[in-house]
Amino acid sequence: IPIEPSHTRYNILADDDDFHWNYGMSLAASGDYVTAEDTLHQVQNQLYKSDPCYIMWLAKCQVHNGKADAAWELRSAIELNAISGGGTSRESNTDDDHFLLMMANECFSQ
């Protein structure tokens, strides 16, 4: 009996931001970057969209889909979080450092 990846079972769930967030992350983690990017773009909640985890996974998908320039533009979202009080300056610097490291690693692996 073939075993399906767990994320394929969630394809029938309701259309909502929690679903798109979790399903998109699951797809990205399993390497389905095209579907993951499409799914993550369906998230509407600004709290989710400004989360550094969301931004980094979306950027990773974009790099793997040949859209490194679009991924690089997401860095401004992390910088905007720092300016608007999305965390302490140390946390914001760490988010920016993680983003830069992720971009370097993903672009190098391509």
Side-chain angles (χ1 to χ4, degrees), residues 42-56:
Q42 293 179 45
V43 171
Q44 299 298 311
N45 186 322
Q46 289 302 316
L47 289 175
Y48 280 159
K49 291 173 84 168
S50 64
D51 186 290
C53 184
Y54 171 88
I55 294 167
M56 285 189 244

mmCIF file with all atom_site columns, all heavy atoms in Angstrom, residues 42-56:
data_model
loop_
_atom_site.group_PDB
_atom_site.id
_atom_site.type_symbol
_atom_site.label_atom_id
_atom_site.label_alt_id
_atom_site.label_comp_id
_atom_site.label_asym_id
_atom_site.label_entity_id
_atom_site.label_seq_id
_atom_site.pdbx_PDB_ins_code
_atom_site.Cartn_x
_atom_site.Cartn_y
_atom_site.Cartn_z
_atom_site.occupancy
_atom_site.B_iso_or_equiv
_atom_site.pdbx_formal_charge
_atom_site.auth_seq_id
_atom_site.auth_comp_id
_atom_site.auth_asym_id
_atom_site.auth_atom_id
_atom_site.pdbx_PDB_model_num
ATOM 1   N N   . GLN A 1 42 ? -1.759 32.871 -0.925 1.00 0.00 ? 42 GLN A N   1
ATOM 2   C CA  . GLN A 1 42 ? -3.187 32.954 -0.619 1.00 0.00 ? 42 GLN A CA  1
ATOM 3   C C   . GLN A 1 42 ? -3.452 33.417 0.814  1.00 0.00 ? 42 GLN A C   1
ATOM 4   O O   . GLN A 1 42 ? -4.590 33.725 1.156  1.00 0.00 ? 42 GLN A O   1
ATOM 5   C CB  . GLN A 1 42 ? -3.853 31.602 -0.873 1.00 0.00 ? 42 GLN A CB  1
ATOM 6   C CG  . GLN A 1 42 ? -3.850 31.238 -2.349 1.00 0.00 ? 42 GLN A CG  1
ATOM 7   C CD  . GLN A 1 42 ? -4.483 29.890 -2.593 1.00 0.00 ? 42 GLN A CD  1
ATOM 8   O OE1 . GLN A 1 42 ? -5.543 29.582 -2.044 1.00 0.00 ? 42 GLN A OE1 1
ATOM 9   N NE2 . GLN A 1 42 ? -3.836 29.076 -3.407 1.00 0.00 ? 42 GLN A NE2 1
ATOM 10  N N   . VAL A 1 43 ? -2.414 33.478 1.645  1.00 0.00 ? 43 VAL A N   1
ATOM 11  C CA  . VAL A 1 43 ? -2.567 33.983 3.011  1.00 0.00 ? 43 VAL A CA  1
ATOM 12  C C   . VAL A 1 43 ? -2.893 35.471 2.940  1.00 0.00 ? 43 VAL A C   1
ATOM 13  O O   . VAL A 1 43 ? -2.215 36.228 2.247  1.00 0.00 ? 43 VAL A O   1
ATOM 14  C CB  . VAL A 1 43 ? -1.273 33.742 3.832  1.00 0.00 ? 43 VAL A CB  1
ATOM 15  C CG1 . VAL A 1 43 ? -1.351 34.450 5.175  1.00 0.00 ? 43 VAL A CG1 1
ATOM 16  C CG2 . VAL A 1 43 ? -1.017 32.255 4.012  1.00 0.00 ? 43 VAL A CG2 1
ATOM 17  N N   . GLN A 1 44 ? -3.941 35.885 3.641  1.00 0.00 ? 44 GLN A N   1
ATOM 18  C CA  . GLN A 1 44 ? -4.374 37.286 3.638  1.00 0.00 ? 44 GLN A CA  1
ATOM 19  C C   . GLN A 1 44 ? -4.081 38.016 4.947  1.00 0.00 ? 44 GLN A C   1
ATOM 20  O O   . GLN A 1 44 ? -3.935 39.226 4.950  1.00 0.00 ? 44 GLN A O   1
ATOM 21  C CB  . GLN A 1 44 ? -5.884 37.365 3.353  1.00 0.00 ? 44 GLN A CB  1
ATOM 22  C CG  . GLN A 1 44 ? -6.280 36.791 2.013  1.00 0.00 ? 44 GLN A CG  1
ATOM 23  C CD  . GLN A 1 44 ? -5.635 37.532 0.855  1.00 0.00 ? 44 GLN A CD  1
ATOM 24  O OE1 . GLN A 1 44 ? -5.681 38.766 0.799  1.00 0.00 ? 44 GLN A OE1 1
ATOM 25  N NE2 . GLN A 1 44 ? -5.013 36.797 -0.052 1.00 0.00 ? 44 GLN A NE2 1
ATOM 26  N N   . ASN A 1 45 ? -3.998 37.297 6.049  1.00 0.00 ? 45 ASN A N   1
ATOM 27  C CA  . ASN A 1 45 ? -3.808 37.886 7.366  1.00 0.00 ? 45 ASN A CA  1
ATOM 28  C C   . ASN A 1 45 ? -2.446 38.585 7.438  1.00 0.00 ? 45 ASN A C   1
ATOM 29  O O   . ASN A 1 45 ? -1.407 37.947 7.265  1.00 0.00 ? 45 ASN A O   1
ATOM 30  C CB  . ASN A 1 45 ? -3.910 36.784 8.423  1.00 0.00 ? 45 ASN A CB  1
ATOM 31  C CG  . ASN A 1 45 ? -3.863 37.307 9.831  1.00 0.00 ? 45 ASN A CG  1
ATOM 32  O OD1 . ASN A 1 45 ? -3.131 38.245 10.137 1.00 0.00 ? 45 ASN A OD1 1
ATOM 33  N ND2 . ASN A 1 45 ? -4.623 36.679 10.708 1.00 0.00 ? 45 ASN A ND2 1
ATOM 34  N N   . GLN A 1 46 ? -2.451 39.882 7.718  1.00 0.00 ? 46 GLN A N   1
ATOM 35  C CA  . GLN A 1 46 ? -1.219 40.657 7.757  1.00 0.00 ? 46 GLN A CA  1
ATOM 36  C C   . GLN A 1 46 ? -0.278 40.221 8.884  1.00 0.00 ? 46 GLN A C   1
ATOM 37  O O   . GLN A 1 46 ? 0.938  40.362 8.764  1.00 0.00 ? 46 GLN A O   1
ATOM 38  C CB  . GLN A 1 46 ? -1.516 42.155 7.863  1.00 0.00 ? 46 GLN A CB  1
ATOM 39  C CG  . GLN A 1 46 ? -2.091 42.742 6.595  1.00 0.00 ? 46 GLN A CG  1
ATOM 40  C CD  . GLN A 1 46 ? -1.169 42.538 5.396  1.00 0.00 ? 46 GLN A CD  1
ATOM 41  O OE1 . GLN A 1 46 ? 0.046  42.719 5.467  1.00 0.00 ? 46 GLN A OE1 1
ATOM 42  N NE2 . GLN A 1 46 ? -1.745 42.138 4.283  1.00 0.00 ? 46 GLN A NE2 1
ATOM 43  N N   . LEU A 1 47 ? -0.840 39.684 9.957  1.00 0.00 ? 47 LEU A N   1
ATOM 44  C CA  . LEU A 1 47 ? 0.028  39.185 11.032 1.00 0.00 ? 47 LEU A CA  1
ATOM 45  C C   . LEU A 1 47 ? 0.849  38.008 10.540 1.00 0.00 ? 47 LEU A C   1
ATOM 46  O O   . LEU A 1 47 ? 2.033  37.884 10.862 1.00 0.00 ? 47 LEU A O   1
ATOM 47  C CB  . LEU A 1 47 ? -0.793 38.791 12.257 1.00 0.00 ? 47 LEU A CB  1
ATOM 48  C CG  . LEU A 1 47 ? -1.421 39.941 13.043 1.00 0.00 ? 47 LEU A CG  1
ATOM 49  C CD1 . LEU A 1 47 ? -2.320 39.408 14.154 1.00 0.00 ? 47 LEU A CD1 1
ATOM 50  C CD2 . LEU A 1 47 ? -0.337 40.851 13.604 1.00 0.00 ? 47 LEU A CD2 1
ATOM 51  N N   . TYR A 1 48 ? 0.228  37.128 9.790  1.00 0.00 ? 48 TYR A N   1
ATOM 52  C CA  . TYR A 1 48 ? 0.964  36.005 9.204  1.00 0.00 ? 48 TYR A CA  1
ATOM 53  C C   . TYR A 1 48 ? 1.978  36.507 8.177  1.00 0.00 ? 48 TYR A C   1
ATOM 54  O O   . TYR A 1 48 ? 3.126  36.071 8.147  1.00 0.00 ? 48 TYR A O   1
ATOM 55  C CB  . TYR A 1 48 ? 0.022  35.021 8.508  1.00 0.00 ? 48 TYR A CB  1
ATOM 56  C CG  . TYR A 1 48 ? -0.701 34.058 9.407  1.00 0.00 ? 48 TYR A CG  1
ATOM 57  C CD1 . TYR A 1 48 ? -1.857 33.435 8.967  1.00 0.00 ? 48 TYR A CD1 1
ATOM 58  C CD2 . TYR A 1 48 ? -0.245 33.746 10.681 1.00 0.00 ? 48 TYR A CD2 1
ATOM 59  C CE1 . TYR A 1 48 ? -2.532 32.530 9.761  1.00 0.00 ? 48 TYR A CE1 1
ATOM 60  C CE2 . TYR A 1 48 ? -0.920 32.848 11.484 1.00 0.00 ? 48 TYR A CE2 1
ATOM 61  C CZ  . TYR A 1 48 ? -2.064 32.241 11.015 1.00 0.00 ? 48 TYR A CZ  1
ATOM 62  O OH  . TYR A 1 48 ? -2.720 31.334 11.807 1.00 0.00 ? 48 TYR A OH  1
ATOM 63  N N   . LYS A 1 49 ? 1.533  37.418 7.323  1.00 0.00 ? 49 LYS A N   1
ATOM 64  C CA  . LYS A 1 49 ? 2.383  37.873 6.222  1.00 0.00 ? 49 LYS A CA  1
ATOM 65  C C   . LYS A 1 49 ? 3.590  38.679 6.701  1.00 0.00 ? 49 LYS A C   1
ATOM 66  O O   . LYS A 1 49 ? 4.575  38.796 5.984  1.00 0.00 ? 49 LYS A O   1
ATOM 67  C CB  . LYS A 1 49 ? 1.563  38.691 5.232  1.00 0.00 ? 49 LYS A CB  1
ATOM 68  C CG  . LYS A 1 49 ? 0.552  37.835 4.478  1.00 0.00 ? 49 LYS A CG  1
ATOM 69  C CD  . LYS A 1 49 ? -0.368 38.668 3.641  1.00 0.00 ? 49 LYS A CD  1
ATOM 70  C CE  . LYS A 1 49 ? 0.270  38.966 2.318  1.00 0.00 ? 49 LYS A CE  1
ATOM 71  N NZ  . LYS A 1 49 ? -0.673 39.539 1.353  1.00 0.00 ? 49 LYS A NZ  1
ATOM 72  N N   . SER A 1 50 ? 3.511  39.223 7.906  1.00 0.00 ? 50 SER A N   1
ATOM 73  C CA  . SER A 1 50 ? 4.642  39.978 8.441  1.00 0.00 ? 50 SER A CA  1
ATOM 74  C C   . SER A 1 50 ? 5.535  39.134 9.345  1.00 0.00 ? 50 SER A C   1
ATOM 75  O O   . SER A 1 50 ? 6.567  39.609 9.806  1.00 0.00 ? 50 SER A O   1
ATOM 76  C CB  . SER A 1 50 ? 4.151  41.220 9.196  1.00 0.00 ? 50 SER A CB  1
ATOM 77  O OG  . SER A 1 50 ? 3.398  40.834 10.326 1.00 0.00 ? 50 SER A OG  1
ATOM 78  N N   . ASP A 1 51 ? 5.157  37.888 9.558  1.00 0.00 ? 51 ASP A N   1
ATOM 79  C CA  . ASP A 1 51 ? 5.944  36.982 10.399 1.00 0.00 ? 51 ASP A CA  1
ATOM 80  C C   . ASP A 1 51 ? 7.234  36.596 9.665  1.00 0.00 ? 51 ASP A C   1
ATOM 81  O O   . ASP A 1 51 ? 7.186  36.187 8.501  1.00 0.00 ? 51 ASP A O   1
ATOM 82  C CB  . ASP A 1 51 ? 5.116  35.735 10.706 1.00 0.00 ? 51 ASP A CB  1
ATOM 83  C CG  . ASP A 1 51 ? 5.810  34.822 11.692 1.00 0.00 ? 51 ASP A CG  1
ATOM 84  O OD1 . ASP A 1 51 ? 6.832  34.206 11.303 1.00 0.00 ? 51 ASP A OD1 1
ATOM 85  O OD2 . ASP A 1 51 ? 5.345  34.712 12.830 1.00 0.00 ? 51 ASP A OD2 1
ATOM 86  N N   . PRO A 1 52 ? 8.391  36.727 10.310 1.00 0.00 ? 52 PRO A N   1
ATOM 87  C CA  . PRO A 1 52 ? 9.658  36.390 9.648  1.00 0.00 ? 52 PRO A CA  1
ATOM 88  C C   . PRO A 1 52 ? 9.702  34.954 9.116  1.00 0.00 ? 52 PRO A C   1
ATOM 89  O O   . PRO A 1 52 ? 10.298 34.698 8.069  1.00 0.00 ? 52 PRO A O   1
ATOM 90  C CB  . PRO A 1 52 ? 10.710 36.598 10.736 1.00 0.00 ? 52 PRO A CB  1
ATOM 91  C CG  . PRO A 1 52 ? 10.100 37.603 11.654 1.00 0.00 ? 52 PRO A CG  1
ATOM 92  C CD  . PRO A 1 52 ? 8.621  37.306 11.642 1.00 0.00 ? 52 PRO A CD  1
ATOM 93  N N   . CYS A 1 53 ? 9.040  34.030 9.792  1.00 0.00 ? 53 CYS A N   1
ATOM 94  C CA  . CYS A 1 53 ? 9.008  32.638 9.329  1.00 0.00 ? 53 CYS A CA  1
ATOM 95  C C   . CYS A 1 53 ? 8.297  32.548 7.975  1.00 0.00 ? 53 CYS A C   1
ATOM 96  O O   . CYS A 1 53 ? 8.785  31.893 7.044  1.00 0.00 ? 53 CYS A O   1
ATOM 97  C CB  . CYS A 1 53 ? 8.313  31.776 10.376 1.00 0.00 ? 53 CYS A CB  1
ATOM 98  S SG  . CYS A 1 53 ? 8.297  30.024 9.979  1.00 0.00 ? 53 CYS A SG  1
ATOM 99  N N   . TYR A 1 54 ? 7.157  33.204 7.852  1.00 0.00 ? 54 TYR A N   1
ATOM 100 C CA  . TYR A 1 54 ? 6.413  33.234 6.590  1.00 0.00 ? 54 TYR A CA  1
ATOM 101 C C   . TYR A 1 54 ? 7.266  33.860 5.489  1.00 0.00 ? 54 TYR A C   1
ATOM 102 O O   . TYR A 1 54 ? 7.368  33.327 4.380  1.00 0.00 ? 54 TYR A O   1
ATOM 103 C CB  . TYR A 1 54 ? 5.111  34.019 6.766  1.00 0.00 ? 54 TYR A CB  1
ATOM 104 C CG  . TYR A 1 54 ? 4.380  34.296 5.472  1.00 0.00 ? 54 TYR A CG  1
ATOM 105 C CD1 . TYR A 1 54 ? 3.476  33.385 4.954  1.00 0.00 ? 54 TYR A CD1 1
ATOM 106 C CD2 . TYR A 1 54 ? 4.604  35.482 4.765  1.00 0.00 ? 54 TYR A CD2 1
ATOM 107 C CE1 . TYR A 1 54 ? 2.808  33.636 3.771  1.00 0.00 ? 54 TYR A CE1 1
ATOM 108 C CE2 . TYR A 1 54 ? 3.949  35.735 3.580  1.00 0.00 ? 54 TYR A CE2 1
ATOM 109 C CZ  . TYR A 1 54 ? 3.051  34.820 3.084  1.00 0.00 ? 54 TYR A CZ  1
ATOM 110 O OH  . TYR A 1 54 ? 2.401  35.071 1.899  1.00 0.00 ? 54 TYR A OH  1
ATOM 111 N N   . ILE A 1 55 ? 7.862  34.983 5.807  1.00 0.00 ? 55 ILE A N   1
ATOM 112 C CA  . ILE A 1 55 ? 8.655  35.713 4.814  1.00 0.00 ? 55 ILE A CA  1
ATOM 113 C C   . ILE A 1 55 ? 9.819  34.853 4.324  1.00 0.00 ? 55 ILE A C   1
ATOM 114 O O   . ILE A 1 55 ? 10.089 34.770 3.119  1.00 0.00 ? 55 ILE A O   1
ATOM 115 C CB  . ILE A 1 55 ? 9.159  37.045 5.408  1.00 0.00 ? 55 ILE A CB  1
ATOM 116 C CG1 . ILE A 1 55 ? 7.971  37.974 5.694  1.00 0.00 ? 55 ILE A CG1 1
ATOM 117 C CG2 . ILE A 1 55 ? 10.166 37.717 4.475  1.00 0.00 ? 55 ILE A CG2 1
ATOM 118 C CD1 . ILE A 1 55 ? 8.307  39.168 6.564  1.00 0.00 ? 55 ILE A CD1 1
ATOM 119 N N   . MET A 1 56 ? 10.498 34.180 5.240  1.00 0.00 ? 56 MET A N   1
ATOM 120 C CA  . MET A 1 56 ? 11.658 33.369 4.849  1.00 0.00 ? 56 MET A CA  1
ATOM 121 C C   . MET A 1 56 ? 11.250 32.145 4.034  1.00 0.00 ? 56 MET A C   1
ATOM 122 O O   . MET A 1 56 ? 11.918 31.801 3.057  1.00 0.00 ? 56 MET A O   1
ATOM 123 C CB  . MET A 1 56 ? 12.470 32.989 6.075  1.00 0.00 ? 56 MET A CB  1
ATOM 124 C CG  . MET A 1 56 ? 13.274 34.178 6.585  1.00 0.00 ? 56 MET A CG  1
ATOM 125 S SD  . MET A 1 56 ? 14.438 33.746 7.862  1.00 0.00 ? 56 MET A SD  1
ATOM 126 C CE  . MET A 1 56 ? 13.770 34.658 9.227  1.00 0.00 ? 56 MET A CE  1
#
